[in-house]
Amino acid sequence: MTVQSDRPLIDRFLEMLAAEAGAAANTLAAYRSDLSLASAAVDGGLASADEAVLRRLADGWSSLARATVARKAAALRRFYAFLQDEGHRADDPGAALPRPGTARLLPKALSHADVDRLFAALTERLAVAHPSANDLRLSALIELLYGSGLRATELVSLPRNAIRPDRPYMIVRGKGDRERLVPLSDRARAAVAAWRDHVPPEKTYLFPSGAKHLTRIRLYQLVKVLAAEAGVPPDRVSPHVLRHAFATHLLAGGADLRALQTMLGHADIATTEIYTHVDASRLVELVNRDHPLVDLDLRRP
């Protein structure tokens, strides 16, 4: 349980992150969890902990994944910098925390054949006189995941009228509350139009559920079920993997990296560059066809 004296400081820290840094809701939730767990694990709370205490705390993270350790340490470092800036501490003990770095893992990739199987299974569901509302909803969800590369949170929280039949794009509010323009295929617009007929006009969200919207967990479950039906191993498919497929398949088709960065909503081009690994075969073909030395080789006797 969070130490009582830490709770208001954590609240003010998170308010600062939201207001000044534009931190996303998921980031704030992760930081709150990390700070609350650390507060409960430290005698006397975080506000008074010194470097020795933080080293002992970090020793308990030895069994955790490197990315998890990096996130926990980052949350605590930012918290202590905040305490010092606000005059709650004269020092900053955050230097005692580890900096493991995170290995940038290559995203899981689906082949075109895998995606074709997913859409074939979806088409089979819809190939009846009167498709169910659930199947129409699934069609809209999958078309937007693969056709527009939306994040799961962006997708499930789309407003009811975010997509208009006369516009081949929509405006999405993503991480850090940043807005971006996202292209829409004709297929996606048609799928959304068919589904929206089943959404009551008084609902706020395009994919409502109860008083709010479809959860990311439920979206995850729906995608797994479709993968199983399509004969694609469910452990290889998720909403985020479909976003990866959108990116990798666009790059393989010749999309510009900067354009892709904009569509995905990446603040840093380095994040988008992770997708270039799938394009190796096209790059080899490009070099073999267009490099100046190719002509030189042809001129040799």
Side-chain angles (χ1 to χ4, degrees):
M1 176 180 265
T2 309
V3 172
Q4 191 67 30
S5 60
D6 283 339
R7 186 173 290 112
L9 294 174
I10 292 173
D11 289 342
R12 288 202 291 274
F13 167 64
L14 295 176
E15 288 170 5
M16 179 277 294
L17 283 184
E20 298 181 14
N26 290 342
T27 300
L28 296 174
Y31 273 28
R32 181 179 294 279
S33 175
D34 289 337
L35 293 172
S36 297
L37 289 171
S39 175
V42 171
D43 291 338
L46 292 176
S48 59
D50 58 20
E51 291 193 4
V53 170
L54 292 184
R55 288 193 191 94
R56 288 196 295 272
L57 175 67
D59 287 343
W61 300 340
S62 59
S63 63
L64 300 178
R66 184 164 55 174
T68 302
V69 173
R71 190 197 67 230
K72 285 179 176 291
L76 284 166
R77 275 195 297 271
R78 295 186 74 170
F79 179 64
Y80 284 113
F82 165 78
L83 293 184
Q84 186 180 41
D85 289 344
E86 294 294 309
H88 296 290
R89 290 188 65 125
D91 65 330
D92 180 354
L97 293 163
R99 293 179 179 271
T102 54
R104 177 155 289 189
L105 300 177
L106 295 179
K108 294 180 181 178
L110 290 176
S111 67
H112 285 285
D114 291 331
V115 173
D116 287 345
R117 283 195 286 271
L118 291 176
F119 278 98
L122 195 55
T123 299
E124 188 173 341
R125 283 192 180 207
L126 300 175
V128 295
H130 301 288
S132 71
N134 283 342
D135 287 342
L136 291 173
R137 181 183 65 178
L138 181 61
S139 175
L141 290 167
I142 299 299
E143 290 285 357
L144 290 171
L145 279 173
Y146 179 67
S148 297
L150 297 182
R151 298 180 177 95
T153 299
E154 295 169 348
L155 175 58
V156 297
S157 61
L158 282 175
R160 187 183 188 280
N161 295 316
I163 298 171
R164 300 184 183 181
D166 60 333
R167 290 184 182 175
Y169 63 86
M170 63 177 162
I171 297 174
V172 173
R173 191 177 297 276
K175 284 187 174 181
D177 212 30
R178 293 185 295 269
E179 290 187 339
R180 70 183 189 276
L181 211 62
V182 174
L184 289 165
S185 67
D186 292 341
R187 288 173 51 123
R189 282 187 289 161
V192 168
W195 157 243
R196 192 163 43 208
D197 286 342
H198 295 265
V199 181
E202 69 275 10
K203 291 294 186 181
T204 302
Y205 297 103
L206 180 59
F207 300 105
S209 180
K212 206 173 179 187
H213 56 67
L214 189 74
T215 66
R216 290 183 304 152
I217 292 174
R218 183 59 182 145
L219 174 62
Y220 185 93
Q221 292 168 341
L222 292 171
V223 170
K224 294 286 187 184
V225 169
L226 180 65
E229 287 180 16
V232 180
D235 62 349
R236 291 180 49 219
V237 186
S238 71
H240 205 57
V241 168
L242 285 170
R243 173 173 156 88
H244 288 323
F246 162 83
T248 54
H249 294 170
L250 272 181
L251 272 182
D256 176 77
L257 197 63
R258 285 289 181 185
L260 186 60
Q261 177 190 5
T262 300
M263 287 186 278
L264 292 172
H266 289 158
D268 187 348
I269 189 67
T271 308
T272 316
E273 286 172 345
I274 194 172
Y275 296 102
T276 59
H277 77 285
V278 302
D279 214 16
S281 60
R282 192 171 69 89
L283 292 176
V284 170
E285 179 185 351
L286 182 67
V287 169
N288 287 335
R289 185 185 69 231
D290 297 337
H291 195 283
L293 291 180
V294 172
D295 291 336
L296 182 61
D297 287 339
L298 292 176
R299 291 195 297 269
R300 286 175 181 167

